[in-house]
PDB file of all heavy atoms in Angstrom:
ATOM      1  N   SER A  50     -87.455 188.883  54.457  1.00 89.00           N
ATOM      2  CA  SER A  50     -88.246 188.565  55.818  1.00 89.00           C
ATOM      3  C   SER A  50     -88.095 187.211  56.245  1.00 89.00           C
ATOM      4  O   SER A  50     -88.907 186.893  57.148  1.00 89.00           O
ATOM      5  CB  SER A  50     -89.721 189.000  55.621  1.00 89.00           C
ATOM      6  OG  SER A  50     -89.714 190.447  55.141  1.00 89.00           O
ATOM      7  N   ILE A  51     -87.389 186.256  55.653  1.00 91.00           N
ATOM      8  CA  ILE A  51     -87.163 185.008  56.186  1.00 91.00           C
ATOM      9  C   ILE A  51     -86.662 185.025  57.598  1.00 91.00           C
ATOM     10  O   ILE A  51     -85.810 185.830  57.888  1.00 91.00           O
ATOM     11  CB  ILE A  51     -86.214 184.183  55.224  1.00 91.00           C
ATOM     12  CG1 ILE A  51     -86.979 183.863  53.853  1.00 91.00           C
ATOM     13  CG2 ILE A  51     -85.853 182.801  55.873  1.00 91.00           C
ATOM     14  CD1 ILE A  51     -86.112 183.147  52.942  1.00 91.00           C
ATOM     15  N   GLN A  52     -87.279 184.217  58.477  1.00 91.00           N
ATOM     16  CA  GLN A  52     -86.708 184.102  59.803  1.00 91.00           C
ATOM     17  C   GLN A  52     -85.576 183.077  59.852  1.00 91.00           C
ATOM     18  O   GLN A  52     -85.787 181.899  59.727  1.00 91.00           O
ATOM     19  CB  GLN A  52     -87.787 183.723  60.855  1.00 91.00           C
ATOM     20  CG  GLN A  52     -89.035 184.633  60.792  1.00 91.00           C
ATOM     21  CD  GLN A  52     -88.713 186.049  61.167  1.00 91.00           C
ATOM     22  OE1 GLN A  52     -87.885 186.272  62.233  1.00 91.00           O
ATOM     23  NE2 GLN A  52     -89.119 187.027  60.368  1.00 91.00           N
ATOM     24  N   PRO A  53     -84.364 183.501  60.059  1.00 90.00           N
ATOM     25  CA  PRO A  53     -83.189 182.637  59.932  1.00 90.00           C
ATOM     26  C   PRO A  53     -83.358 181.358  60.910  1.00 90.00           C
ATOM     27  O   PRO A  53     -82.960 180.279  60.642  1.00 90.00           O
ATOM     28  CB  PRO A  53     -81.980 183.424  60.220  1.00 90.00           C
ATOM     29  CG  PRO A  53     -82.396 184.866  60.172  1.00 90.00           C
ATOM     30  CD  PRO A  53     -83.891 184.872  60.364  1.00 90.00           C
ATOM     31  N   GLY A  54     -83.953 181.631  62.050  1.00 92.00           N
ATOM     32  CA  GLY A  54     -84.139 180.551  63.050  1.00 92.00           C
ATOM     33  C   GLY A  54     -85.326 179.771  62.979  1.00 92.00           C
ATOM     34  O   GLY A  54     -85.650 178.988  63.879  1.00 92.00           O
ATOM     35  N   CYS A  55     -86.111 179.881  61.993  1.00 95.00           N
ATOM     36  CA  CYS A  55     -87.352 179.197  61.947  1.00 95.00           C
ATOM     37  C   CYS A  55     -87.099 177.594  61.934  1.00 95.00           C
ATOM     38  O   CYS A  55     -86.460 177.120  61.029  1.00 95.00           O
ATOM     39  CB  CYS A  55     -88.054 179.630  60.628  1.00 95.00           C
ATOM     40  SG  CYS A  55     -89.555 178.575  60.264  1.00 95.00           S
ATOM     41  N   PRO A  56     -87.725 176.932  62.858  1.00 95.00           N
ATOM     42  CA  PRO A  56     -87.510 175.517  62.889  1.00 95.00           C
ATOM     43  C   PRO A  56     -88.352 174.752  61.807  1.00 95.00           C
ATOM     44  O   PRO A  56     -87.965 173.629  61.428  1.00 95.00           O
ATOM     45  CB  PRO A  56     -88.088 175.100  64.338  1.00 95.00           C
ATOM     46  CG  PRO A  56     -89.131 176.249  64.542  1.00 95.00           C
ATOM     47  CD  PRO A  56     -88.632 177.471  63.987  1.00 95.00           C
ATOM     48  N   LEU A  57     -89.323 175.344  61.263  1.00 96.00           N
ATOM     49  CA  LEU A  57     -90.156 174.706  60.137  1.00 96.00           C
ATOM     50  C   LEU A  57     -89.405 174.609  58.851  1.00 96.00           C
ATOM     51  O   LEU A  57     -89.321 173.588  58.173  1.00 96.00           O
ATOM     52  CB  LEU A  57     -91.514 175.413  59.890  1.00 96.00           C
ATOM     53  CG  LEU A  57     -92.453 175.462  61.214  1.00 96.00           C
ATOM     54  CD1 LEU A  57     -93.624 176.280  60.881  1.00 96.00           C
ATOM     55  CD2 LEU A  57     -92.819 174.162  61.555  1.00 96.00           C
ATOM     56  N   CYS A  58     -88.767 175.706  58.530  1.00 95.00           N
ATOM     57  CA  CYS A  58     -88.161 175.721  57.157  1.00 95.00           C
ATOM     58  C   CYS A  58     -86.588 175.841  57.308  1.00 95.00           C
ATOM     59  O   CYS A  58     -85.867 175.934  56.257  1.00 95.00           O
ATOM     60  CB  CYS A  58     -88.642 176.953  56.327  1.00 95.00           C
ATOM     61  SG  CYS A  58     -88.068 178.565  56.879  1.00 95.00           S
ATOM     62  N   LYS A  59     -86.132 175.818  58.597  1.00 92.00           N
ATOM     63  CA  LYS A  59     -84.635 176.005  58.796  1.00 92.00           C
ATOM     64  C   LYS A  59     -83.958 177.218  58.099  1.00 92.00           C
ATOM     65  O   LYS A  59     -82.952 177.196  57.635  1.00 92.00           O
ATOM     66  CB  LYS A  59     -83.935 174.781  58.344  1.00 92.00           C
ATOM     67  CG  LYS A  59     -84.339 173.432  59.150  1.00 92.00           C
ATOM     68  CD  LYS A  59     -83.422 172.299  58.946  1.00 92.00           C
ATOM     69  CE  LYS A  59     -83.904 171.153  59.789  1.00 92.00           C
ATOM     70  NZ  LYS A  59     -85.061 170.404  59.236  1.00 92.00           N
ATOM     71  N   GLY A  60     -84.875 178.272  58.085  1.00 93.00           N
ATOM     72  CA  GLY A  60     -84.327 179.608  57.537  1.00 93.00           C
ATOM     73  C   GLY A  60     -84.320 179.539  55.954  1.00 93.00           C
ATOM     74  O   GLY A  60     -83.871 180.512  55.416  1.00 93.00           O
ATOM     75  N   GLN A  61     -85.009 178.568  55.366  1.00 94.00           N
ATOM     76  CA  GLN A  61     -84.996 178.582  53.882  1.00 94.00           C
ATOM     77  C   GLN A  61     -86.152 179.467  53.228  1.00 94.00           C
ATOM     78  O   GLN A  61     -86.074 179.947  52.179  1.00 94.00           O
ATOM     79  CB  GLN A  61     -85.013 177.234  53.382  1.00 94.00           C
ATOM     80  CG  GLN A  61     -83.779 176.415  53.715  1.00 94.00           C
ATOM     81  CD  GLN A  61     -83.812 174.994  53.193  1.00 94.00           C
ATOM     82  OE1 GLN A  61     -84.867 174.341  53.615  1.00 94.00           O
ATOM     83  NE2 GLN A  61     -82.897 174.570  52.463  1.00 94.00           N
ATOM     84  N   GLY A  62     -87.148 179.495  54.030  1.00 95.00           N
ATOM     85  CA  GLY A  62     -88.353 180.394  53.622  1.00 95.00           C
ATOM     86  C   GLY A  62     -89.347 179.571  52.812  1.00 95.00           C
ATOM     87  O   GLY A  62     -90.421 180.017  52.549  1.00 95.00           O
ATOM     88  N   TYR A  63     -89.071 178.254  52.566  1.00 97.00           N
ATOM     89  CA  TYR A  63     -90.072 177.451  51.821  1.00 97.00           C
ATOM     90  C   TYR A  63     -90.043 176.043  52.540  1.00 97.00           C
ATOM     91  O   TYR A  63     -89.095 175.604  53.185  1.00 97.00           O
ATOM     92  CB  TYR A  63     -89.811 177.348  50.403  1.00 97.00           C
ATOM     93  CG  TYR A  63     -88.447 176.570  50.206  1.00 97.00           C
ATOM     94  CD1 TYR A  63     -88.128 175.280  50.056  1.00 97.00           C
ATOM     95  CD2 TYR A  63     -87.234 177.388  50.095  1.00 97.00           C
ATOM     96  CE1 TYR A  63     -87.029 174.740  49.754  1.00 97.00           C
ATOM     97  CE2 TYR A  63     -86.152 176.957  49.914  1.00 97.00           C
ATOM     98  CZ  TYR A  63     -85.870 175.338  49.868  1.00 97.00           C
ATOM     99  OH  TYR A  63     -84.651 174.952  49.639  1.00 97.00           O
ATOM    100  N   ARG A  64     -91.196 175.332  52.334  1.00 97.00           N
ATOM    101  CA  ARG A  64     -91.296 173.978  52.774  1.00 97.00           C
ATOM    102  C   ARG A  64     -91.842 173.149  51.662  1.00 97.00           C
ATOM    103  O   ARG A  64     -92.602 173.732  50.791  1.00 97.00           O
ATOM    104  CB  ARG A  64     -92.224 173.796  54.012  1.00 97.00           C
ATOM    105  CG  ARG A  64     -91.612 174.593  55.175  1.00 97.00           C
ATOM    106  CD  ARG A  64     -92.656 174.685  56.340  1.00 97.00           C
ATOM    107  NE  ARG A  64     -92.811 173.381  56.896  1.00 97.00           N
ATOM    108  CZ  ARG A  64     -93.730 173.142  57.820  1.00 97.00           C
ATOM    109  NH1 ARG A  64     -94.741 173.987  58.105  1.00 97.00           N
ATOM    110  NH2 ARG A  64     -93.723 171.940  58.310  1.00 97.00           N
ATOM    111  N   ARG A  76     -94.504 178.766  50.621  1.00 96.00           N
ATOM    112  CA  ARG A  76     -93.843 179.722  51.422  1.00 96.00           C
ATOM    113  C   ARG A  76     -94.032 179.299  52.964  1.00 96.00           C
ATOM    114  O   ARG A  76     -95.227 178.857  53.226  1.00 96.00           O
ATOM    115  CB  ARG A  76     -94.510 181.125  51.223  1.00 96.00           C
ATOM    116  CG  ARG A  76     -93.605 182.096  50.525  1.00 96.00           C
ATOM    117  CD  ARG A  76     -94.393 183.167  50.144  1.00 96.00           C
ATOM    118  NE  ARG A  76     -94.278 184.338  51.051  1.00 96.00           N
ATOM    119  CZ  ARG A  76     -93.907 185.461  50.672  1.00 96.00           C
ATOM    120  NH1 ARG A  76     -93.713 185.810  49.533  1.00 96.00           N
ATOM    121  NH2 ARG A  76     -93.891 186.554  51.584  1.00 96.00           N
ATOM    122  N   CYS A  77     -93.062 179.350  53.566  1.00 97.00           N
ATOM    123  CA  CYS A  77     -93.115 179.046  55.055  1.00 97.00           C
ATOM    124  C   CYS A  77     -93.941 180.125  55.849  1.00 97.00           C
ATOM    125  O   CYS A  77     -93.780 181.334  55.354  1.00 97.00           O
ATOM    126  CB  CYS A  77     -91.743 178.854  55.725  1.00 97.00           C
ATOM    127  SG  CYS A  77     -91.880 178.404  57.362  1.00 97.00           S
ATOM    128  N   SER A  78     -94.692 179.737  56.843  1.00 96.00           N
ATOM    129  CA  SER A  78     -95.356 180.809  57.600  1.00 96.00           C
ATOM    130  C   SER A  78     -94.504 181.805  58.269  1.00 96.00           C
ATOM    131  O   SER A  78     -95.081 182.840  58.722  1.00 96.00           O
ATOM    132  CB  SER A  78     -96.296 180.080  58.533  1.00 96.00           C
ATOM    133  OG  SER A  78     -95.457 179.220  59.438  1.00 96.00           O
ATOM    134  N   CYS A  79     -93.259 181.521  58.340  1.00 95.00           N
ATOM    135  CA  CYS A  79     -92.324 182.490  59.102  1.00 95.00           C
ATOM    136  C   CYS A  79     -92.005 183.706  58.140  1.00 95.00           C
ATOM    137  O   CYS A  79     -91.578 184.689  58.552  1.00 95.00           O
ATOM    138  CB  CYS A  79     -91.032 181.842  59.455  1.00 95.00           C
ATOM    139  SG  CYS A  79     -89.862 181.477  58.138  1.00 95.00           S
ATOM    140  N   VAL A  80     -92.268 183.596  56.872  1.00 95.00           N
ATOM    141  CA  VAL A  80     -91.997 184.676  55.993  1.00 95.00           C
ATOM    142  C   VAL A  80     -93.181 185.757  55.952  1.00 95.00           C
ATOM    143  O   VAL A  80     -94.178 185.482  55.487  1.00 95.00           O
ATOM    144  CB  VAL A  80     -91.751 184.236  54.498  1.00 95.00           C
ATOM    145  CG1 VAL A  80     -91.203 185.322  53.567  1.00 95.00           C
ATOM    146  CG2 VAL A  80     -90.813 183.009  54.549  1.00 95.00           C
TER     147      VAL A  80
HETATM  148 ZN1   ZN B1132     -89.832 179.306  58.193  1.00 69.00          ZN
END
Side-chain angles (χ1 to χ4, degrees):
S50 304
I51 287 175
Q52 303 299 313
C55 170
L57 299 175
C58 68
K59 301 190 174 75
Q61 293 177 309
Y63 61 88
R64 299 172 71 190
R76 249 165 100 125
C77 181
S78 52
C79 75
V80 187

